[in-house]
Amino acid sequence: MARYVRHAEGRAYRPFPVETRHFYSERSMRGRAVPYWAERGGFVAPDPGRYAVDERRFRFFKQIS
């Protein structure tokens, strides 16, 4: 799925801006609230009119280096 989204052409097939390349799941975090790289910001919220994403399950970020 990640490969499909990464190589999708056009906004209709891409749920996030092309710069969105990182995500994490709160469920998978052990010993920390968030990954160290997520503390710097760059949060990307999905368009609620197009996608419903549980933020406790997945949080997406852009401009992480």
Side-chain angles (χ1 to χ4, degrees), residues 9 18 21 25 38 63:
E9 304 238 355
V18 70
R21 297 189 179 131
S25 172
Q63 299 172 335

Side-chain angles (χ1 to χ4, degrees), residues 18-52:
V18 70
E19 299 88 8
T20 304
R21 297 189 179 131
H22 286 72
F23 76 94
Y24 78 93
S25 172
E26 185 178 291
R27 291 179 174 184
S28 67
M29 297 304 299
R30 297 188 187 223
R32 298 185 61 109
V34 298
Y36 70 91
W37 50 262
E39 294 171 351
R40 290 180 261 159
F43 176 73
V44 176
D47 179 351
R50 295 179 64 198
Y51 303 98

